[in-house]
């Protein structure tokens, strides 16, 4: 092993807004004090209850990915496990997500975009 994953960083225009969006999905603490990062206007963190850390970095003139547009690729996405796909979809849409692909009704996942345009999937457990 060469390294240990410290966090996943998402570029966005509104670091606090996006961190609060993911907090509403995953729980945890926004901008918990941590010696690894300096918190500020252009940086926020979410320490989830499971110990995973998402970080959010402000980018001037942020341009979101456009799924499935290869000219503006998604670059990465998060898979979030849920027990009830229908209820989870309703909940994330209320929190500001956008449905990108509802699938065919047979598969166990759906694709959404967070408020900054990053794709993520809800995957039925």
């Amino acid at each position: 092993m060469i390294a240990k994953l410290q966090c996943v960083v998402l570029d966005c225009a509104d670091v606090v807004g996006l961190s609060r969006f993911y907090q509403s999905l995953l729980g945890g603490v926004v901008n918990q004090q941590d010696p690894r990062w300096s918190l500020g206007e252009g940086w926020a963190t979410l320490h989830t209850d499971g110990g995973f850390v998402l970080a959010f970095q402000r980018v001037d003139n942020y341009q979101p990915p456009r799924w499935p547009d290869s000219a503006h690729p998604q670059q990465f996405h998060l898979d979030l496990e849920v027990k009830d796909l229908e209820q989870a979809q309703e909940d994330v849409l209320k929190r500001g997500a956008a449905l990108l692909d509802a699938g065919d009704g047979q598969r166990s996942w759906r694709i959404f975009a967070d408020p900054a345009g990053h794709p993520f999937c809800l995957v039925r457990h």
Side-chain angles (χ1 to χ4, degrees):
M1 181 173 86
I2 295 173
K4 180 180 175 184
L5 180 64
Q6 190 177 67
C7 68
V8 173
V9 181
L10 286 79
D11 290 349
C12 60
D14 178 2
V15 297
V16 173
L18 195 57
S19 64
R20 296 259 183 242
F21 170 80
Y22 278 103
Q23 180 187 40
S24 76
L25 301 184
L26 303 171
V29 178
V30 170
N31 288 339
Q32 174 179 305
Q33 291 298 314
D34 188 315
R36 295 175 290 182
W37 300 287
S38 295
L39 300 173
E41 199 172 294
W43 182 266
T45 60
L46 173 62
H47 288 70
T48 68
D49 296 337
F52 185 74
V53 178
L54 284 174
F56 307 89
Q57 176 176 265
R58 177 167 303 154
V59 172
D60 292 331
N61 301 314
Y62 172 73
Q63 297 295 315
R66 294 186 206 136
W67 186 89
D69 179 355
S70 62
H72 296 89
Q74 64 179 328
Q75 300 173 5
F76 85 99
H77 72 273
L78 301 172
D79 284 350
L80 306 177
E81 181 179 301
V82 299
K83 290 182 181 178
D84 183 331
L85 192 54
E86 296 297 327
Q87 183 62 52
Q89 174 173 314
E90 183 178 322
D91 291 344
V92 300
L93 293 174
K94 285 180 185 175
R95 288 170 167 80
L99 179 63
L100 298 179
D101 183 349
D104 58 8
Q106 300 299 313
R107 67 179 200 213
S108 62
W109 74 93
R110 295 182 187 150
I111 305 166
F112 299 84
D114 69 23
H118 302 106
F120 69 94
C121 295
L122 295 179
V123 182
R124 184 176 44 244
H125 174 69

